[in-house]
Amino acid sequence: MTWTEKDEEREERIKMRIIVDTYSPEEQAWGWYTYLDDTMDFPFEARCVTEREESPLKEGETIRVIGMSPTDPTLSQMFVTIEWMDRELGVPLEQLEPLEAGRDTEQAIADWQYWLGR
């Protein structure tokens, strides 16, 4: 992922809404998980924008995101649950771009990608 220019509005949202009152990397990761789970409107359609070793998705593939994965979050990787080939599995949120999603969902994903880029 490329380095991202600083966005003051986004920085303030992250500081005051997502990682507020967190004191360790684990707590920050759970802050992100909670924010994403509360903010994204499931289900929504998304496209794979990059292939990842830990995911079966191919670039350009369209899938349906149905929720947050029960996989423990980290500050470098968040997993969402998708419907894929008649199964449900977790894939990294980083590899997805929302297609048919609400504004809040798009913003939440952009916030996460911004965090990864900073």
Side-chain angles (χ1 to χ4, degrees):
M1 181 164 276
T2 60
W3 189 78
T4 303
E5 292 290 324
K6 191 169 188 174
D7 177 332
E8 293 297 336
E9 180 180 333
R10 200 174 299 273
E11 291 279 338
E12 184 70 12
R13 181 170 45 254
I14 290 169
K15 180 180 173 187
M16 299 307 293
R17 181 168 177 200
I18 301 168
I19 61 172
V20 66
D21 295 331
T22 59
Y23 302 101
S24 69
E26 293 81 17
E27 287 180 355
Q28 287 183 349
W30 282 107
W32 271 104
Y33 182 96
T34 302
Y35 167 70
L36 292 168
D37 191 37
D38 290 348
T39 305
M40 292 193 291
D41 295 319
F42 301 105
F44 63 90
E45 300 296 314
R47 176 181 22 252
C48 176
V49 293
T50 184
E51 293 183 24
R52 301 282 303 255
E53 185 176 304
E54 65 274 23
S55 171
L57 298 179
K58 296 190 183 308
E59 189 172 336
E61 194 168 359
T62 301
I63 49 84
R64 182 177 170 94
V65 180
I66 58 172
M68 293 298 292
S69 171
T71 304
D72 284 345
T74 71
L75 287 178
S76 62
Q77 193 137 282
M78 229 23 94
F79 284 85
V80 290
T81 302
I82 64 167
E83 292 177 342
W84 184 77
M85 298 182 76
D86 298 322
R87 299 184 334 200
E88 292 182 2
L89 65 139
V91 299
L93 179 58
E94 176 183 354
Q95 78 175 136
L96 303 178
E97 169 186 72
L99 293 176
E100 295 180 23
R103 190 173 53 112
D104 289 344
T105 300
E106 290 177 355
Q107 178 179 290
I109 293 171
D111 287 346
W112 175 246
Q113 291 173 342
Y114 173 85
W115 171 268
L116 294 174
R118 294 288 294 161

